[in-house]
Amino acid sequence: MTDQPLNADELRARIAQLEAENDRLRTGTTVAVSPTPPPPKHRGRWRPLVAVLLILFGCLLAPLSVVNAWAKATLTDTDRFVATYAPLAHDPAVQAYVVDQTMAVVNQNIDVNQLTSEAIDGIKGLGLPPRVSSALDLLKGPAASGLESTLRRGVTEFVGSDAFAQAWERALRISHTQLMATLGNDPNAIIAAQQDGTIGIQLGPIVADIKQSLVDRGVAIASRIPAVNKTIPVAQAANLPTAQLGYQLVVATGGWLPWLALILIAVGVVVAKHRARTLIWASLGFSLSMVVLLVALTTGRAILVTALPPSLVPSNVSTLLYDTATTPMHDTATIALVLGVVLAVVGWAAGPFSLPTRLRGFYSDGVGSLRNAAAGHGVTTGRVGTWFYAQRRLLHALVAVGATIALLLLRPLSVSDILLTLLVSVLALIVLSLVERPPSAPPALEAESGTEVADSPTVRL
């Protein structure tokens, strides 16, 4: 039968109508039959609206929660911040930038041409012959170029060494400490940041190590390199109030905002009348919100290139810093997008829709035939299979919970982890369906109805 089951009021009305019709046929008289009362109006018209609002707010909070979780884990944790940016010490673009910035500091504070000229003039003052003095004048230019080349070569060798990686990591730790103090509204840190004009990765400690390395190599002129307070820009001081407000929000909401977004979406699905269909739309909406975040990250990269002038920091270095910072968010958004699509597919496959219902029916028929064939050869799961069948809902729920726990424990999560977890869950459900042993239909009932009786909505024997 394809009719939907009747509720108590409809059933009583149908019985009354059939009894009246039976009396009319038996007596041959027309009996007034009261019309079937309309089914009672369903209450809870508020549920669809509440479900839509909950899911909408959850999807809107989802991208913000990804950014918020990244900021909470990276920007407020010095060790995580250092681990994120430390590998950049081996990047050629960063190394070239540090070399150029160090040489710019050297040229600003050391006049190589004047030093070589003064040195040669001092030699000439020793009373050398005119020819020798003229020859020494010709050496001023090459001597200055040679000294500058010596300085650049020493800086380049240091930047390519392991000592630079250690100096870079130390500079990151100092920079992050100052950044946290600035965002935490420390007056001393704010004054330092405003004097420099930027907040970023400090080059001062790195230049100090380069200076010491040159002095150790015998380049005595490097001792004239002064202490510098130059940074690789991360944020402008003009945006400091906004950055401080954002930092306070991250600290306040970093732990629970992602959970709030997920809870809102889950509660919206539970409240909805048509949960299977709502689950599909909620999952797709969640995936769409991740697409919006990915587009925003790509747009932010383009805006950064145009916002920071090359004179302040080269575009390849600024994009490298941006990509290093946003890669975890990009990966998280991609994984969440795939997870949302997978949930939508699972909701469709398990929902009361015509095509998946037919597919499940084909599968149930196949499993039933296989189980009957095995029983005909004396292979049966016995009482164990009967228990599995009686507890099938609990076992299916345990599989779903196990898959959820696996996704939570697999950190960092990847797309392959999601697909592997889905495959293992499907295989587990297949094994459970093969082990189940539904009770056989009573023979008398089969003889009376003349049709096959299904003991389960999913398995028919």
Side-chain angles (χ1 to χ4, degrees), residues 366-423:
V367 171
S369 300
L370 181 62
R371 189 184 295 113
N372 290 335
H377 291 81
V379 179
T380 179
T381 55
R383 294 182 178 180
V384 175
T386 302
W387 183 87
F388 268 71
Y389 178 79
Q391 306 297 328
R392 62 189 184 280
R393 296 186 182 277
L394 174 62
L395 295 175
H396 293 173
L398 291 177
V399 171
V401 172
T404 303
I405 294 176
L407 292 177
L408 293 176
L409 295 179
L410 290 174
R411 298 292 181 88
L413 190 64
S414 64
V415 174
S416 59
D417 292 333
I418 296 175
L419 298 179
L420 179 61
T421 302
L422 177 63
L423 177 61

Side-chain angles (χ1 to χ4, degrees), residues 74-424:
T74 303
L75 293 183
T76 63
D77 188 335
T78 301
D79 293 335
R80 183 73 66 87
F81 180 85
V82 173
T84 300
Y85 287 99
L88 296 183
H90 304 286
D91 190 274
V94 172
Q95 292 179 351
Y97 176 72
V98 172
V99 170
D100 292 340
Q101 292 298 311
T102 303
M103 290 307 301
V105 172
V106 170
N107 293 330
Q108 290 173 3
N109 296 275
I110 301 177
D111 192 340
V112 176
N113 293 325
Q114 182 179 356
L115 287 175
T116 54
S117 179
E118 291 176 354
I120 292 176
D121 290 341
I123 296 175
K124 289 169 55 178
L126 297 176
L128 298 177
R131 282 189 175 183
V132 176
S133 297
S134 299
L136 289 176
D137 288 335
L138 295 177
L139 292 177
K140 288 182 178 180
S145 298
L147 182 57
E148 186 174 354
S149 297
T150 300
L151 289 171
R152 178 173 285 274
R153 182 169 58 254
V155 172
T156 303
E157 291 177 357
F158 177 84
V159 170
S161 66
D162 293 336
F164 171 70
Q166 297 174 2
W168 175 263
E169 183 174 339
R170 187 164 56 254
L172 288 174
R173 197 168 294 277
I174 295 173
S175 302
H176 188 267
T177 301
Q178 178 187 354
L179 178 62
M180 290 298 97
T182 301
L183 296 178
N185 206 16
D186 184 346
N188 296 328
I190 292 175
I191 292 174
Q194 289 176 346
Q195 288 177 348
D196 185 55
T198 58
I199 302 172
I201 301 173
Q202 294 186 9
L203 291 179
I206 298 176
V207 174
D209 287 349
I210 293 175
K211 171 184 175 180
Q212 186 61 44
S213 174
L214 292 173
V215 171
D216 294 341
R217 290 170 179 263
V219 185
I221 193 176
S223 61
R224 299 192 180 188
I225 300 176
V228 297
N229 187 26
K230 190 174 183 60
T231 63
I232 300 177
V234 173
Q236 295 294 322
N239 299 327
L240 189 57
T242 303
Q244 289 176 335
L245 178 60
Y247 172 76
Q248 294 171 1
L249 291 176
V250 167
V251 172
T253 63
W256 53 266
L257 187 59
W259 292 108
L260 177 61
L262 294 177
I263 290 173
L264 288 175
I265 296 175
V267 173
V269 173
V270 173
V271 169
K273 289 184 177 181
H274 306 285
R275 294 175 181 173
R277 186 177 290 106
T278 304
L279 174 62
I280 296 174
W281 286 110
S283 302
L284 294 178
F286 179 77
S287 297
L288 180 61
S289 68
M290 294 299 105
V291 173
V292 173
L293 176 58
L294 292 174
V295 173
L297 292 176
T298 304
T299 304
R301 190 177 190 270
I303 294 176
L304 177 67
V305 173
T306 58
L308 288 177
S311 59
L312 185 61
V313 58
S315 59
N316 60 341
V317 176
S318 61
T319 54
L320 178 62
L321 293 173
Y322 181 83
D323 292 341
T324 301
T326 58
T327 293
M329 289 186 287
H330 188 281
D331 294 343
T332 301
T334 302
I335 293 170
L337 189 156
V338 174
L339 183 60
V341 173
V342 169
L343 287 177
V345 173
V346 171
W348 174 82
F353 308 106
S354 58
L355 179 57
T357 300
R358 288 198 298 269
L359 294 177
R360 292 197 302 270
F362 294 151
Y363 173 78
S364 299
D365 291 341
V367 171
S369 300
L370 181 62
R371 189 184 295 113
N372 290 335
H377 291 81
V379 179
T380 179
T381 55
R383 294 182 178 180
V384 175
T386 302
W387 183 87
F388 268 71
Y389 178 79
Q391 306 297 328
R392 62 189 184 280
R393 296 186 182 277
L394 174 62
L395 295 175
H396 293 173
L398 291 177
V399 171
V401 172
T404 303
I405 294 176
L407 292 177
L408 293 176
L409 295 179
L410 290 174
R411 298 292 181 88
L413 190 64
S414 64
V415 174
S416 59
D417 292 333
I418 296 175
L419 298 179
L420 179 61
T421 302
L422 177 63
L423 177 61
V424 172

